[in-house]
């Protein structure tokens, strides 16, 4: 009986769900009913054809015609979102142009989520439609209070090079009067939103944040790019209670060049700024929060503060966990990766070249060296924050740093003295990993970066470090564990700004790791082991692979010499 009842619910949800279409050759809300993927025939009303713009999916009061559980499929092309777009004259005007937005997407249900889809979402999304913002609207799409929804196969952006409230008046967006220009604050805004899928999205170039969210639960992101937003890629610090819950699962997430203006139409970084000038600059940043965070096959790079900042995950929320697998962080001006709660890290590449932005031509508003934007807060490559009874494991990873430490590990009470103190059971286990130190950029004078910041004052790593390579770092004793190796790991390229952590032939990392706790693959997705034993580091060695990596490096050098290489890579 229960099975029959569920089948009835499923059938009912599908039966009463409607699919609507938008395409550039469609008609108005009067001319077309939106129920067919067909152009307006040229005459007549209520024709079986697509609407010409997403705003024709709204009525004359600016409210959705679609209902929860419906699907809106948007055809290829470019669609302006904001005052001056079709079907806006009745419900918005120049004096309140910022409110001329698509309303929050109506909630669906677990059987039939509401879907906003670009055409081709089911066939590789090779030509996503563009939704571009104008006249300082707050966001392009809203998930404020929305649950059970999907947004797929869209490019979300604006057509301006400005950054809201930028310290340089020539870069700051116009807020003084209409016309404000072709810009928006955020790509997607979400609050109190659950069971959402974002897939195949390119969100870039907004004046503040690509994503601005709070109080999320059970969100999934797959193949999403957050790039060139003037304040942050993903700012999760909105509202009075921004904590998240459930499973937060990100796969193939690319977060890059946030804290920079993105030029229009060139889409290049410019006027990068950070906290000393009043900016922000995190790639992904969240405050105190709960949740089970899973991040796979993702990269966080060239953001003007931290790359991935989940340091306060678990603060006030015990039993919070983070899993990282096949994740890269490099070129961020602060910490590359920051994690709190209980963390399991496998196949991570974290290259702490935190001085990347220093004196670059696109970082005109970056603070002086003494102001702290370069290698912010010391620029440790990886930062670990442990609460009471928490633990962290770093396995088969490759970590480099020119900041003050390769890893900084601290008790939660250092930043949050109101939290329960660590009891001595907390630990950081490090196995099968490569640590490559450099001169501490902030100190200079030949001082090397610490292996563990301040020689692990909390004792988290004592007796928990083995089967690693530790090279050119400041440490109290090496080896730390009986199987540690204290010599050059022989990487394909250990130049910080072109770092390649793959192993050369003859590397002491080959076949020297332990199988205990080792992942079944490496950062490239290749199976482990490839030889007689497990290799140390994020990459498993095989000779054919080394040849391919060297050829790719040569190709990139040739492109750079001919001037064909761009900053977006």
């Amino acid at each position: 009986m229960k099975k029959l009842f569920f089948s009835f619910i499923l059938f009912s949800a599908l039966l009463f769900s409607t699919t609507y279409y938008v395409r550039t050759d469609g008609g108005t809300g009067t001319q077309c009913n939106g129920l067919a993927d067909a152009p307006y025939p040229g005459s007549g009303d209520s024709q079986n054809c697509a609407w010409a713009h997403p705003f024709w999916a709204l009525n004359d009061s600016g409210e959705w015609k679609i209902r929860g559980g419906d699907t809106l499929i948007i055809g290829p092309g470019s669609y302006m979102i904001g005052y001056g777009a079709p079907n806006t004259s009745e419900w918005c005007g120049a004096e309140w142009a910022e409110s001329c937005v698509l309303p929050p997407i109506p909630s669906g249900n677990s059987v039939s989520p509401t879907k906003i889809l670009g055409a081709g979402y089911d066939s590789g999304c090779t030509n996503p439609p563009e939704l571009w913002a104008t006249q300082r609207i707050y966001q392009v799409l809203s998930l404020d209070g929305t649950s059970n929804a999907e947004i797929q196969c869209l490019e979300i952006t604006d057509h301006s090079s400005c950054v809201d409230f930028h310290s340089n008046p020539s870069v700051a967006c116009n807020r003084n009067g209409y016309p404000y220009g072709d810009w928006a604050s955020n790509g997607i805004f979400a609050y109190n939103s659950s069971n959402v899928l974002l897939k195949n999205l390119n969100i870039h170039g907004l004046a503040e944040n690509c994503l601005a969210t709070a109080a999320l639960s059970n969100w999934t992101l797959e193949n999403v790019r957050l790039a060139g937003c003037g304040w942050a890629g993903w700012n999760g610090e909105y509202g009075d209670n921004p904590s998240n819950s459930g499973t937060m699962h990100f796969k193939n997430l690319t977060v890059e060049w946030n804290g920079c203006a993105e030029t229009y139409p060139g889409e290049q970084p410019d006027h990068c700024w950070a906290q000393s000038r009043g900016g922000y600059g995190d790639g992904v940043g969240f405050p105190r929060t709960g949740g089970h965070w899973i991040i796979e096959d993702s990269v966080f790079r060239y953001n003007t503060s931290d790359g991935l900042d989940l340091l306060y995950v678990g603060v006030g929320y015990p039993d919070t966990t983070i899993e990282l697998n096949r994740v890269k962080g490099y070129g961020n001006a602060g910490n590359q990766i920051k994690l709190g709660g209980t963390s399991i890290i496998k196949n991570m590449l974290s290259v702490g070249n935190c001085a990347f932005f220093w004196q670059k031509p696109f970082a005109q508003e970056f603070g002086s060296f003494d102001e702290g934007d370069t290698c912010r807060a010391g620029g440790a490559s990886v930062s670990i924050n442990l609460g009471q009874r928490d633990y962290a494991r770093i396995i088969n990873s490759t970590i480099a740093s020119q900041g003050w430490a390769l890893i900084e590990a601290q008790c939660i009470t250092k930043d949050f003295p109101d939290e329960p103190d660590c009891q001595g059971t907390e630990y950081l286990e490090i196995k099968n990993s490569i640590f490559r130190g450099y001169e501490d950029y902030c100190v200079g004078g030949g001082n090397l970066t610490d292996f563990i910041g301040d020689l692990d004052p909390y004792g988290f790593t004592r007796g928990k470090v083995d089967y690693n390579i530790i090279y050119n770092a400041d440490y109290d004793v090496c080896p730390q564990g009986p199987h540690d190796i204290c010599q050059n790991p022989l990487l394909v390229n250990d130049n910080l700004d072109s770092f390649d952590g793959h192993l050369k032939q003859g590397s002491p990392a080959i076949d020297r790791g332990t199988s205990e706790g080792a992942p079944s693959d490496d950062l490239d997705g290749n199976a482990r082991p490839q030889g007689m034993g497990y290799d140390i580091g994020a990459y498993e060695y095989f000779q054919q692979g080394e040849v391919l990596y060297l050829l790719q490096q040569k190709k990139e050098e040739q492109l750079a010499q001919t001037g064909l290489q761009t900053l977006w890579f």
Side-chain angles (χ1 to χ4, degrees), residues 237-468:
E237 301 192 41
Y238 281 77
D240 295 330
N241 183 22
S243 177
N244 309 281
S245 61
T247 300
M248 305 290 288
H249 192 177
F250 314 145
K251 186 172 183 178
N252 293 317
L253 177 63
T254 299
V255 185
E256 57 189 359
W257 297 106
N258 296 291
C260 299
E262 182 186 86
T263 62
Y264 179 80
E267 298 186 6
Q268 295 293 301
D270 200 11
H271 293 286
C272 300
W273 66 321
Q275 296 183 27
S276 74
R277 294 293 189 267
Y280 181 17
D282 273 2
V284 172
F286 283 86
R288 301 186 187 205
T289 180
H292 179 193
W293 301 72
I294 304 172
I295 305 176
E296 304 174 283
D297 303 297
S298 297
V299 58
F300 305 86
R301 59 189 177 188
Y302 310 127
N303 300 288
T304 64
S305 189
D306 300 321
L308 173 65
D309 186 354
L310 299 181
L311 193 67
Y312 301 150
V313 169
V315 178
Y317 299 89
D319 304 319
T320 299
T321 58
I322 300 174
E323 299 177 47
L324 263 61
N325 196 8
R326 299 180 303 275
V327 169
K328 299 178 183 179
Y330 54 87
N332 302 290
N335 305 116
Q336 308 306 310
I337 306 290
K338 300 170 72 170
L339 304 175
T342 290
S343 303
I344 309 297
I345 306 161
K346 298 180 180 181
N347 294 319
M348 175 180 67
L349 174 69
S350 182
V351 182
N353 53 330
C354 52
F356 172 79
F357 283 93
W358 179 243
Q359 296 184 331
K360 291 291 197 302
F362 47 78
Q364 303 95 316
E365 280 73 46
F366 227 64
S368 68
F369 181 77
D370 292 337
E371 290 175 291
D373 288 341
T374 296
C375 296
R376 194 188 69 83
S381 190
V382 178
S383 185
I384 301 292
N385 201 24
L386 296 180
Q388 193 176 90
R389 296 188 301 275
D390 285 338
Y391 64 88
R393 292 193 178 108
I394 298 175
I395 305 169
N396 276 106
S397 295
T398 299
I399 299 173
S401 181
Q402 66 177 171
W404 84 287
L406 287 148
I407 297 177
E408 60 181 8
Q410 65 185 42
C411 182
I412 200 172
T413 53
K414 182 174 182 180
D415 290 330
F416 297 96
D418 57 317
E419 287 294 301
D421 203 359
C422 294
Q423 298 177 325
T425 60
E426 301 78 17
Y427 66 87
L428 169 59
E429 181 181 45
I430 304 172
K431 283 186 177 179
N432 279 11
S433 295
I434 292 174
F435 295 88
R436 174 61 163 95
Y438 296 83
E439 181 180 85
D440 185 336
Y441 191 83
C442 298
V443 177
N447 291 280
L448 297 177
T449 183
D450 286 357
F451 169 45
I452 308 292
D454 288 337
L455 305 181
D456 191 12
Y458 294 95
F460 290 150
T461 64
R462 289 170 191 164
K464 298 291 184 180
V465 177
D466 204 5
Y467 293 96
N468 304 290

